[in-house]
Amino acid sequence: MTTDDLVEIEQLLARYAVTITRGDMEGLLAVFTPDGSYSAFGDTYPLADFPALVEAAPKGLFLTGTPAIELSDDDTATGTQPLCFVDHATHDLRIGYYSDTYVRTADGWRLRTRAMTFIRRNGAHDSGRPHAFGRPAV
């Protein structure tokens, strides 16, 4: 992995944080591959369900840290990125980290999978309450 690859992935993840904070769904979806998915709340959501999941979630600031990225081969990588979410109305915090897979596409690096892990006050690390979001039945 070159420095250019690392910078491109870091910018991809910065676009994720900025677009979700601003409510820019088109920009947010563009950081994923078309077959991408997001995992949280005990389930994995295909990209088609992601807009409804984001709409149902609290709004606020997604403050992300520098990701730790490992190259799998020339066109795939994995990474972990810390997150501090600040609710816009209450300024309550949620902390945790994303576990990601990345793939190089014709349009550059993209997220293929992103899985959220929350860190609880008791120190537990989990993916959230199952069924916290009512995903449409397929």
Side-chain angles (χ1 to χ4, degrees), residues 46 49 135-138:
D49 289 349
R135 186 167 92 179
V138 178

Side-chain angles (χ1 to χ4, degrees), residues 38-46 114 127-131 133 135:
Y38 179 83
S39 299
F41 316 117
D43 208 350
T44 298
Y45 303 91
R114 175 155 263 206
S127 65
R129 293 184 310 268
H131 311 295
F133 169 75
R135 186 167 92 179

Side-chain angles (χ1 to χ4, degrees), residues 56-123:
K59 307 303 179 250
L61 173 67
F62 285 75
L63 183 60
T64 54
T66 303
I69 300 169
E70 293 188 31
L71 182 66
S72 301
D73 58 40
D74 286 343
D75 296 321
T76 61
T78 59
T80 303
Q81 184 179 39
L83 166 72
C84 177
F85 171 78
V86 183
D87 185 282
H88 75 116
T90 64
H91 288 192
D92 288 343
L93 304 177
R94 292 183 185 163
I95 60 172
Y97 50 92
Y98 295 116
S99 299
D100 300 326
T101 61
Y102 318 105
V103 63
R104 186 191 315 266
T105 71
D107 296 319
W109 285 96
R110 296 292 184 264
L111 276 164
R112 176 167 281 154
T113 64
R114 175 155 263 206
M116 180 64 204
T117 300
F118 298 95
I119 302 173
R120 305 298 178 185
R121 289 181 184 187
N122 66 6

